[in-house]
Amino acid sequence: MVYSEECDFIFRLKGILEFACQLDNPNGAQSKCTISKSFQDLRSKVSSKNTVFTVCNSPVLIWPNTGFQSSVESLTEASACGDILQCIDSDDGGSKKSSKKKDKKKSGPTVVNMKLLFEVTEPAGNEAPSLIRVSTQQHCVKMPLPLDCALSVTTDERLATVCKGLVEALNKQLADMEEVVLQYRKGSSFLVPQPFHFQLPEPSGLITVVYPAGVPDSQLQAVREDLHRKFELPCDRPYLRRANAFHFPDAAYKDGYLRNPHIHLNPPNIEDAKLYLVQGVYSYHHYMQDHVDDNGWGCAYRSLQTICSWFQQQGYVETAVPTHKQIQQALVDVGDKEPRFVGSRQWIGSIEVQAVLNQLLGVTSKIMFVSQGSELATKGRELANHFQTEGTPVMIGGGVLAHTILGVAWSENSGQIRFLILDPHYTGGEDLQTVTDKGWCGWKGPEFWDQNAYYNLCLPQRPKTI
Amino acid sequence: MGRSYFVDEAVEEYLSGLQAAPGSCVTGLLAGQSSPQRDFVVLAVQTPHRESEGQPKASKGVGPLDDIDVEWVTEHAKQVSRMLPGGLSVLGLFLLTPPELSKDAQNALKRLIFAMEKYIIKGRLWELSEEDVTDRVTLHICSKTKKLVCKTFDVKDPKSSAKPADWKYQTGISSSWPMLTCSVEVDLQIPVTGSSSDNTDKCMKDGLRRWAKQIEAAYCLVNGRQALDDSELISGQKKNPKTTNRQTLPTRIFVSDVELDERSTALVQVCSGSMRVRGVVHCRAYIHNNKPKVRHAAQAIKRDLINTVCSRVEMFLEDLLINEGSQKGLCSEQQALPRRVFAPMSISGLSVCDYMFPDESTADVAERLKEMLDCETPEEDIDTSLESIFSAISGSEITDSHDDDSSKHVISEIQAENPIIQKAPQYYAGVAIAAAVALLATVTSLLYFN
């Protein structure tokens, strides 16, 4: 996860806007105009004086389209957007202020969540209601549009400017949604347009793409190709699959696994060593998770799960992280093991990991063989290259243990090396503090390896695809 | 520990002025506001005399108590409920009986109160919350001794028994109750599936229910304060009995569309037509001044909003049914819904409201106020200015969200034409005056220059 160094805040505005229209003939030529007209009406609505933003967990209401009015006196047109934090009740015990000793790294920009509302009071006229009845056969279409706009800004940006920017973003998103709706419509069957945010390398930053619901990533290849060209992204790795969507810092991961515990560590202090680390996001899989007691035999399985989680979260696969049984079944399916292997507590090694990655994920891997643990200290260049080009986690098995290597700190000059290790033998709960304090994720020296045992390393290769 | 009812002295006056034919009973309603701590009664109205058409009903039971027209009492309660602004509701019933019927009065009151509650809540579109008081009061008055027996029943529980309650008179109970107001723009697009009139009603109800849920979930600013947590509506105000000014608190309401379920496709219905309710309604609610919370005030005005839209639609459809027989309703037209007018209740100063159909006048309203609320209101006191009559200009099409390729439905569009229509005579008058001045100037100059 790379944050723009300058942006301190992300203002995120969400809201549901109902799209409704009546079509006499869904297949007729007129229907396109009708749909476009409805979207035009929605764009007018969000630019109207009735549009109101509320800041979640605060009493703040802002009218962005009337020259900036707010319900809180301290926030005026001239206010810096950082001032808004004073109005928000943060219910996380103010942990942003207290810095844990280890947590020296910047935790990323502060997210200010806002909700889109519409005022129904203060109307323009006061004509009493009437009832209008229409009696033509028609198709009534109703669809909730899940609007979701995000803007990255610096602290001193004026709040009024941010709000204007959000209104523009709403307009643009509605235009994008209109395009998607029209493109994927079949007669009276409409697909809901869904916005996804992506953090792209500078200078693009945080962008939003609208994809049609229900259409899998595999069918959206052409759309991504266009976008890769537009944003000048490399054409051999995914940036814009749904799984690549930006994870907002304030959102918890629903599955409960820790993500990238290594970012909370201080790098080792070696003279002119460079860091070569895993790229992207992985989940920490270890003993005893998911109510599976694999203490003593499951370490390679857990390392394999960590690797699978990486491929899933970088958008290469949509399949869930496999269970022990599914891993074993895959090995039976490729003919590597007998059927009674499934349900057993037999260990696996790098070769099996390579086979399963190929069978379940379609991922190829390179195997590196090291005849003695002491030799690993000389593999700095190769590991550095791997993390630079592929950036995938590495499974290493040898002696009686399996581990995951997440990176190396290596000095080309002195040859000194440290290994960033994620240890699957941890049996505790998903507590970041314990995992980092006790070294379950930590930097180890060459003495960490059994100097006499031989080791096999499985280095997964990224498929060249977007 | 029973409930305490604080009752306005005007009610005492009204109740002691009740006249009953010897041996017969008088029923009536009690209205006001309930709060968790105490209840306030500001209005008492006896059940109006029912014009019985045709043969008088044969006496059913053994006495006047059995002759009480339960249906009529409950209908009166419903009509009165429609006339009460937000925050006020029918809290219970009173029954005046001669001494010999006193012992059976409690049973009669119990029957009546449950029947009344059941009838009033039919068709209501908002749900009671946990904080709502479900006790209703019954007051028995002996016509000879004038003794009052006050009890409450919990109408949530059909098996509940009468609990004693306090009945205390006070002056000016509601004189300093703040009044919340707002005008709300309503624009509901309701698809109609199927073609029978039952379908139309059901579709309308479903559409209104969805809208009501949106309103119940809406954000609300009362006098600039949000209804967050337990904050008080009027803080820092010293309780000064001398200040009887009624504060008017403007209210603002903000809605968001609600996604009821995660959908990946649009909901498409084949409809035989659609209905649109569009216009501005004026809402009013009162809140007691015994440390009221913002959220209770917000709830009161929101319920008033839901009630007023619902009531008018109900009244319109009822009227349609009576006048047109079956629902020939599936024709393209725009018809005005009854508009809301307000009138002050004599002593308390609280407003009540009524609904005026386009062909009615304030005289009709005054008559209804007399009949339903037993109160004389001079016509000039009836405020019809809060909602104005719409006027349709025919010939123009509503182009939003409709396919334009057919001119087979020509729908008139609501326009705020009132001011323009009124301008016309003034415009011509202005032209006439200008012409007269020009003529005068010409004549004067001719005379002068000659």
Side-chain angles (χ1 to χ4, degrees):
Chain A
M1 286 184 281
V2 178
Y3 294 115
S4 159
E5 284 308 299
E6 291 126 38
C7 99
D8 312 294
F9 285 99
I10 298 179
F11 278 79
R12 188 178 188 188
L13 176 67
K14 287 168 78 167
I16 308 274
L17 194 54
E18 187 179 73
F19 166 85
C21 73
Q22 285 80 38
L23 300 175
D24 282 352
N25 178 9
N27 295 309
Q30 277 296 327
S31 51
K32 182 170 181 297
C33 288
T34 311
I35 295 166
S36 291
K37 173 80 173 47
S38 292
F39 270 102
Q40 179 59 41
D41 289 343
L42 290 178
R43 284 198 286 276
S44 303
K45 189 174 180 185
V46 301
S47 306
S48 74
K49 70 167 182 60
N50 288 328
T51 298
V52 178
F53 298 159
T54 180
V55 178
C56 298
N57 296 325
S58 85
V60 179
L61 290 171
I62 296 174
W63 285 254
N65 296 323
T66 55
F68 191 86
Q69 278 180 47
S70 100
S71 65
V72 170
E73 273 169 30
S74 54
L75 292 178
T76 65
E77 190 161 1
S79 302
C81 63
D83 291 347
I84 216 165
L85 287 182
Q86 294 154 15
C87 306
I88 301 180
D89 297 326
S90 70
D91 48 15
D92 56 349
S95 65
K96 286 187 182 65
K97 294 285 167 89
S98 70
S99 52
K100 305 189 180 88
K101 268 207 296 202
K102 279 245 163 82
D103 192 12
K104 300 244 176 74
K105 301 242 164 185
K106 194 169 129 169
S107 60
T110 310
V111 180
V112 177
N113 288 301
M114 296 166 89
K115 196 167 165 193
L116 178 63
L117 301 173
F118 295 98
E119 177 163 13
V120 290
T121 39
E122 313 281 312
N126 69 345
E127 311 79 50
S130 58
L131 179 66
I132 308 163
R133 292 176 283 174
V134 172
S135 64
T136 25
Q137 181 97 351
Q138 42 192 210
H139 289 76
C140 276
V141 182
K142 277 200 212 287
M143 181 163 60
L145 300 176
L147 295 172
D148 187 348
C149 296
L151 276 186
S152 292
V153 293
T154 54
T155 319
D156 51 348
E157 187 74 78
R158 282 188 333 158
L159 192 53
T161 318
V162 173
C163 290
K164 274 214 158 37
L166 285 171
V167 173
E168 272 164 30
L170 283 173
N171 267 283
K172 175 167 188 306
Q173 191 161 103
L174 284 168
D176 290 343
M177 286 183 163
E178 179 184 342
E179 224 180 280
V180 167
V181 165
L182 288 175
Q183 190 181 356
Y184 290 90
R185 174 180 80 102
K186 287 187 175 49
S188 63
S189 164
F190 290 69
L191 295 180
V192 174
Q194 292 172 332
F196 290 86
H197 303 293
F198 300 98
Q199 180 83 33
L200 298 184
E202 293 299 312
S204 307
L206 196 59
I207 65 152
T208 310
V209 180
V210 176
Y211 287 131
V215 176
D217 282 331
S218 48
Q219 287 175 28
L220 294 168
Q221 180 89 6
V223 175
R224 288 198 301 278
E225 278 168 10
D226 276 344
L227 289 169
H228 272 244
R229 265 194 294 276
K230 177 177 168 192
F231 291 106
E232 294 176 350
L233 298 169
C235 293
D236 63 349
R237 54 179 57 183
Y239 283 88
L240 298 169
R241 288 180 168 245
R242 289 183 177 98
N244 299 118
F246 179 64
H247 177 81
F248 285 84
D250 61 337
Y253 286 98
K254 288 185 209 142
D255 56 23
Y257 298 119
L258 291 175
R259 299 296 197 285
N260 289 24
H262 71 272
I263 61 172
H264 302 277
L265 300 174
N266 289 322
N269 205 351
I270 305 180
E271 213 180 297
D272 71 20
K274 286 214 199 76
L275 292 182
Y276 304 88
L277 300 179
V278 64
Q279 298 170 33
V281 184
Y282 61 88
S283 308
Y284 181 20
H285 287 269
H286 57 80
Y287 278 170
M288 310 303 282
Q289 275 178 346
D290 321 311
H291 310 293
V292 175
D293 181 352
D294 58 333
N295 194 346
W297 61 272
C299 47
Y301 293 82
R302 297 295 184 183
S303 178
L304 173 52
Q305 284 179 334
T306 296
I307 294 173
C308 292
S309 79
W310 187 94
F311 280 95
Q312 184 205 37
Q313 289 177 87
Q314 263 51 247
Y316 289 100
V317 297
E318 281 164 21
T319 48
V321 171
T323 61
H324 292 61
K325 285 232 173 77
Q326 286 168 335
I327 291 169
Q328 290 170 335
Q329 186 59 48
L331 288 167
V332 170
D333 291 343
V334 297
D336 190 68
K337 298 274 184 271
E338 296 290 308
R340 60 189 153 82
F341 178 64
V342 180
S344 71
R345 296 180 175 194
Q346 285 188 40
W347 298 353
I348 56 174
S350 323
I351 308 298
E352 284 85 357
V353 169
Q354 179 190 42
V356 174
L357 285 174
N358 187 46
Q359 172 71 358
L360 290 182
L361 272 58
V363 165
T364 54
S365 319
K366 293 196 176 137
I367 298 287
M368 188 198 286
F369 171 75
V370 165
S371 54
Q372 289 181 106
S374 49
E375 249 181 72
L376 274 166
T378 67
K379 298 294 181 187
R381 185 178 303 279
E382 276 152 279
L383 287 169
N385 277 345
H386 169 84
F387 286 111
Q388 262 189 328
T389 45
E390 305 301 326
T392 56
V394 170
M395 177 264 174
I396 177 167
V400 290
L401 302 173
H403 289 92
T404 311
I405 304 180
L406 296 174
V408 289
W410 177 63
S411 162
E412 199 166 346
N413 296 332
S414 64
Q416 283 207 70
I417 187 170
R418 298 284 182 277
F419 301 88
L420 181 56
I421 303 294
L422 189 67
D423 195 337
H425 301 90
Y426 172 59
T427 53
E430 312 315 317
D431 177 40
L432 180 63
Q433 189 79 37
T434 309
V435 166
T436 49
D437 281 353
K438 304 282 186 227
W440 294 103
C441 176
W443 289 96
K444 315 287 181 190
E447 64 284 356
F448 178 73
W449 311 110
D450 181 342
Q451 301 296 296
N452 300 312
Y454 69 84
Y455 284 89
N456 269 325
L457 290 83
C458 175
L459 287 76
Q461 307 293 297
R462 283 182 188 255
K464 300 267 180 289
T465 174
I466 61 169
Chain B
M1 200 184 82
R3 300 201 67 86
S4 301
Y5 287 85
F6 289 80
V7 187
D8 199 292
E9 274 180 359
V11 171
E12 181 180 19
E13 226 175 275
Y14 183 87
L15 291 175
S16 41
L18 288 173
Q19 306 268 354
S24 73
C25 314
V26 179
T27 53
L29 305 173
L30 298 163
Q33 182 167 120
S34 275
S35 76
Q37 287 81 31
R38 53 180 72 166
D39 308 274
F40 305 93
V41 178
V42 296
L43 176 69
V45 189
Q46 63 176 323
T47 309
H49 178 64
R50 185 177 198 174
E51 306 279 341
S52 53
E53 293 168 2
Q55 293 169 346
K57 270 203 321 227
S59 202
K60 283 187 294 188
V62 289
L65 281 178
D66 295 300
D67 282 345
I68 293 175
D69 192 344
V70 178
E71 209 184 276
W72 187 238
V73 171
T74 56
E75 181 62 41
H76 180 225
K78 180 152 194 165
Q79 297 292 332
V80 168
S81 300
R82 278 187 182 158
M83 296 170 117
L84 295 172
L88 300 178
S89 59
V90 174
L91 292 184
L93 299 164
F94 66 79
L95 177 64
L96 178 85
T97 68
E100 58 271 21
L101 296 173
S102 293
K103 58 177 170 40
D104 295 321
Q106 286 306 319
N107 280 339
L109 278 168
K110 182 173 180 177
R111 263 194 354 254
L112 277 174
I113 201 97
F114 277 93
M116 179 191 84
E117 183 69 17
K118 189 167 163 199
Y119 190 63
I120 285 185
I121 63 175
K122 242 200 279 189
R124 188 201 278 164
L125 290 181
W126 44 266
E127 302 291 326
L128 282 180
S129 72
E130 272 164 19
E131 289 180 299
D132 281 305
V133 173
T134 50
D135 291 282
R136 302 285 176 259
V137 64
T138 58
L139 189 71
H140 172 249
I141 311 163
C142 174
S143 57
K144 186 161 156 215
T145 64
K146 303 293 182 196
K147 179 161 164 265
L148 299 176
V149 175
C150 174
K151 292 197 196 283
T152 59
F153 289 91
D154 184 351
V155 287
K156 227 175 37 227
D157 175 15
K159 295 201 192 63
S160 72
S161 52
K163 288 196 285 285
D166 285 335
W167 187 261
K168 301 184 210 179
Y169 287 114
Q170 270 186 5
T171 35
I173 294 260
S174 59
S175 50
S176 34
W177 284 6
M179 177 175 83
L180 294 95
T181 62
C182 61
S183 288
V184 178
E185 174 130 35
V186 176
D187 190 354
L188 307 179
Q189 188 87 283
I190 297 168
V192 177
T193 53
S195 52
S196 74
S197 63
D198 285 343
N199 264 321
T200 317
D201 278 352
K202 182 174 181 309
C203 290
M204 179 58 96
K205 262 257 144 20
D206 284 343
L208 285 173
R209 195 171 286 121
R210 268 185 88 221
W211 171 78
K213 276 204 161 40
Q214 196 187 38
I215 297 297
E216 278 189 291
Y219 285 66
C220 196
L221 266 189
V222 180
N223 206 26
R225 283 162 190 258
Q226 269 209 59
L228 297 170
D229 57 62
D230 251 0
S231 51
E232 294 203 352
L233 182 63
I234 305 164
S235 53
Q237 192 186 55
K238 289 186 276 255
K239 224 179 177 171
N240 188 348
K242 294 263 173 68
T243 57
T244 49
N245 299 340
R246 190 188 304 289
Q247 272 187 298
T248 302
L249 305 177
T251 308
R252 299 176 89 155
I253 300 177
F254 311 89
V255 300
S256 61
D257 285 330
V258 170
E259 186 173 3
L260 294 171
D261 46 6
E262 289 248 345
R263 304 191 60 90
S264 60
T265 55
L267 179 65
V268 182
Q269 293 169 289
V270 177
C271 309
S272 55
S274 67
M275 290 185 288
R276 192 170 182 187
V277 176
R278 186 173 160 182
V280 175
V281 295
H282 187 80
C283 302
R284 209 171 264 195
Y286 293 96
I287 191 90
H288 63 88
N289 56 350
N290 180 31
K291 297 216 187 104
K293 302 254 169 36
V294 181
R295 64 169 197 276
H296 294 138
Q299 190 180 66
I301 191 95
K302 284 198 235 176
R303 284 175 175 177
D304 184 68
L305 170 58
I306 298 172
N307 285 342
T308 186
V309 172
C310 203
S311 296
R312 306 166 200 236
V313 170
E314 252 172 37
M315 291 169 74
F316 179 82
L317 293 176
E318 277 164 15
D319 190 62
L320 203 64
L321 208 57
I322 295 170
N323 292 340
E324 296 183 7
S326 68
Q327 198 108 144
K328 95 180 205 296
L330 296 184
C331 53
S332 308
E333 53 188 81
Q334 179 180 38
Q335 287 169 286
L337 293 175
R339 66 188 175 114
R340 197 178 198 186
V341 299
F342 289 87
M345 262 200 309
S346 36
I347 297 173
S348 63
L350 299 173
S351 321
V352 289
C353 68
D354 191 26
Y355 294 94
M356 237 167 81
F357 277 85
D359 52 353
E360 288 184 324
S361 67
T362 49
D364 298 298
V365 174
E367 205 181 296
R368 268 199 294 274
L369 288 174
K370 175 82 188 102
E371 191 192 344
M372 291 292 145
L373 296 178
D374 206 3
C375 97
E376 298 280 357
T377 317
E379 276 182 53
E380 55 269 19
D381 284 355
I382 298 174
D383 188 355
T384 60
S385 67
L386 295 157
E387 293 181 4
S388 62
I389 312 173
F390 90 102
S391 53
I393 305 290
S394 59
S396 58
E397 298 181 49
I398 289 186
T399 53
D400 26 306
S401 312
H402 279 277
D403 288 359
D404 292 336
D405 55 358
S406 60
S407 54
K408 59 183 189 286
H409 46 272
V410 172
I411 304 151
S412 4
E413 182 160 12
I414 294 179
Q415 310 210 4
E417 292 299 355
N418 245 352
I420 296 178
I421 288 175
Q422 282 165 4
K423 265 197 208 131
Q426 288 165 9
Y427 172 77
Y428 286 118
V431 168
I433 291 170
V437 168
L439 186 62
L440 199 57
T442 315
V443 168
T444 313
S445 67
L446 282 172
L447 287 172
Y448 182 83
F449 282 122
N450 268 1

